[in-house]
Amino acid sequence: MRDAREFNFDGLVGPSHNYAGLSFGNVASFNNVRAASNPRQAALQGLAKMRELAARGFAQAVMPPQGRPNFRLLRSLGFSGTDADVLARAYREAPVILACAWSAAPMWTANAGTVSPSADSLDGRVHFTAANLNNKLHRAEEHLQATRTLRAIFADSNRFVVHDTLPSVPAFADEGAANHTRFAASHGAPGVEFFVYGRVEFDPSAPSPKKYPARQTLEASQAIARLHGLDPARTVFAAQNPDVIDQGVFHNDVISVGNGNVLFYHEQAFADEAGTLEALRRALAGVDTELQAVRVDGSQVPVADAVASYLFNSQLLSKPDGRMALVVPHECRENAAVSNYLAGLVASGGPIDELVEFDLRQSMRNGGGPACLRLRVVLTDEEAAAMHQGVIMTETLYARLVAWVEQHYRDRVEPQDLADPQLAIECAAALEELTRILGLPGLYDL
């Protein structure tokens, strides 16, 4: 076993942050469609979270936003002329497609990809696979920049492998780490990788939701496990409960979260609760670790309250004293059932003994909580030294990014602003300067 730390790569909210309600199945996103957004506040809220967690001693890094609007997408769909012409025509003829091209959804880096640390992989390298996100047009091209960004940050091929994304077809629908977690005695120890899927492409008889789409397939999860060279004995696949998908649980990280040897989950999270827990226990026994399952009963927190508050879309972080902190949004305190449950949880003497609360309302209104905003990357000291250092959160970087946001971001974006060519110019200028701040020249193909 080697010493290792878990780095949380938080998505830096982009200057095009807007509420277009593009994500059918994501209740919060759909409920706030066409509301005015505040990109500046959204970015500053995310940066405040990064700064506070770094100050507490957690390894924290920044995942830069993607270039928007996506003119390549618009031009590929027949909108031509100058950039201003493209925006104007798309706004007139296809406003939903225009909103897709402006989507700031890459801020949710839990969907950027799936990560397997070197302790788990056959070749002893850290493996990444960017998610194809092919269920939604506004996210289906994110993998192009996500792969480019990951390869820029993790460029040392002796230590890191960034795979091409899976084929972008329904059989291999992949939404990244939002449906994946890892259990281990410590970050540097061999672990068990846990994949949760919503449907099985090649078995029509398998249960599936009726109202909302299942965004992750078993076939995609299995393919990633093979690509990453995972030991089958330390890999567990579990079906998400299709009934909770139809209640707005569009990813597994809206209904459960894991860390270390702890699984914090709602009783309705999995299609086969007992079978899932038993499979995890058997796999963890192989790495000399015992699963601690923290079960939340529906009588304590109904699924609707879990979705509204994003209780499970929280970060579960290991503290130096061996206990865990749960990073939650303000909405958890404002929901009576969830607030009462959490008060009892931290007083129970169990593994989770601290709550860390953040105001992430701009992200929450668009359908993403603390866990959506981060991609977990376990790195040894040598691997951490080999990655690009300019993205690691420090007080100096925080100050530079706050000044950058305050200079470049608008404090209000409404649907009609997506037709404004000046907003596109502002976004491009902001990202060009960001590459200098982060030391990543050529990161974007603008």
Side-chain angles (χ1 to χ4, degrees):
M1 181 181 71
R2 296 178 291 174
D3 288 337
R5 301 179 73 194
E6 179 184 82
F7 281 77
N8 282 281
F9 278 76
D10 273 40
L12 179 55
V13 179
S16 73
H17 171 66
N18 68 96
Y19 298 141
L22 298 169
S23 191
F24 181 66
N26 180 329
V27 175
S29 171
F30 224 56
N31 286 346
N32 289 289
V33 60
R34 300 185 67 81
S37 65
N38 187 330
R40 182 182 303 165
Q41 185 181 64
L44 294 177
Q45 286 175 348
L47 284 168
K49 170 176 155 331
M50 295 184 228
R51 180 196 196 192
E52 174 65 19
L53 292 179
R56 286 172 171 257
F58 298 109
Q60 182 69 57
V62 176
M63 187 71 78
Q66 298 197 7
R68 292 293 183 269
N70 185 345
F71 281 112
R72 195 210 67 79
L73 171 63
L74 293 171
R75 292 181 184 279
S76 74
L77 297 176
F79 300 102
S80 59
T82 66
D83 288 351
D85 292 337
V86 168
L87 296 177
R89 185 177 176 189
Y91 184 71
R92 287 194 312 270
E93 299 178 9
V96 174
I97 293 175
L98 177 63
C100 289
W102 277 105
S103 171
M107 63 194 269
W108 296 310
T109 54
N111 302 122
T114 304
V115 186
S116 296
S118 55
D120 293 353
S121 66
L122 186 64
D123 64 3
R125 295 185 290 176
V126 184
H127 286 251
F128 304 80
T129 298
N132 59 34
L133 295 166
N134 65 8
N135 187 261
K136 298 286 184 288
L137 174 62
H138 71 287
R139 306 209 68 177
E141 292 205 346
E142 286 182 26
H143 67 91
L144 300 172
Q145 182 63 53
T147 300
R148 185 172 179 147
T149 299
L150 289 170
R151 285 174 176 163
I153 296 173
F154 301 100
D156 184 349
S157 60
N158 292 318
R159 300 182 186 276
F160 310 116
V161 185
V162 180
H163 298 276
D164 291 337
T165 192
L166 298 181
S168 190
V169 296
F172 295 104
D174 174 29
E175 303 263 326
N179 296 304
H180 169 266
T181 193
R182 178 178 187 264
F183 300 95
S186 67
H187 291 313
V192 170
E193 302 210 14
F194 181 46
F195 296 84
V196 180
Y197 59 91
R199 66 181 178 86
V200 184
E201 174 74 10
F202 299 131
D203 181 4
S205 67
S208 62
K210 304 292 189 297
K211 180 180 179 182
Y212 292 138
R215 302 189 187 184
Q216 184 84 24
T217 65
L218 171 62
E219 290 83 358
S221 297
Q222 291 172 328
I224 290 169
R226 289 191 294 268
L227 285 169
H228 292 195
L230 303 183
D231 182 346
R234 295 192 283 118
T235 307
V236 175
F237 303 97
Q240 191 174 357
N241 181 351
D243 292 336
V244 298
I245 296 176
D246 281 338
Q247 295 177 65
V249 180
F250 54 100
H251 290 137
N252 178 63
D253 67 2
V254 181
I255 203 71
S256 78
V257 60
N259 175 59
N261 68 335
V262 174
L263 172 64
F264 179 52
Y265 76 104
H266 193 278
E267 66 166 323
Q268 296 183 45
F270 308 109
D272 179 1
E273 179 188 4
T276 298
L277 295 180
E278 179 56 30
L280 286 172
R281 289 191 177 103
R282 284 198 308 270
L284 282 165
V287 292
D288 298 321
T289 305
E290 184 175 346
L291 178 71
Q292 292 192 65
V294 179
R295 183 183 196 260
V296 181
D297 293 341
S299 60
Q300 297 172 291
V301 179
V303 171
D305 287 319
V307 172
S309 66
Y310 271 26
L311 167 62
F312 296 97
N313 196 248
S314 300
Q315 292 176 251
L316 192 54
L317 302 175
S318 298
K319 300 190 295 182
D321 65 2
R323 306 295 287 280
M324 295 188 188
L326 190 68
V327 178
V328 300
H330 276 335
E331 284 78 359
C332 284
R333 177 168 50 83
E334 296 167 351
N335 182 293
V338 172
S339 180
N340 290 336
Y341 171 79
L342 287 174
L345 176 70
V346 297
S348 68
I352 302 169
D353 71 343
E354 182 183 3
L355 300 180
V356 183
E357 184 180 319
F358 289 103
D359 179 0
L360 299 169
R361 293 190 191 278
Q362 286 290 317
S363 177
M364 289 286 288
R365 288 172 182 164
N366 219 9
C372 284
L373 286 165
R374 62 92 175 97
L375 182 68
R376 295 184 282 187
V377 184
V378 171
L379 300 170
T380 65
D381 292 343
E382 294 79 10
E383 290 160 353
M387 77 173 179
H388 177 67
Q389 301 297 292
V391 296
I392 298 175
M393 179 54 67
T394 63
E395 278 295 311
T396 299
L397 179 59
Y398 172 78
R400 292 189 70 187
L401 289 175
V402 166
W404 171 77
V405 168
E406 291 177 341
Q407 177 184 354
H408 290 283
Y409 280 48
R410 296 187 181 189
D411 61 7
R412 188 177 181 87
V413 170
E414 299 186 62
Q416 64 267 26
D417 295 325
L418 303 186
D420 180 5
Q422 183 58 36
L423 180 58
I425 293 170
E426 292 169 12
C427 290
L431 295 190
E432 183 63 33
E433 183 177 340
L434 181 64
T435 62
R436 293 190 288 272
I437 293 173
L438 299 180
L440 289 169
L443 180 64
Y444 302 106
D445 181 15
L446 298 174

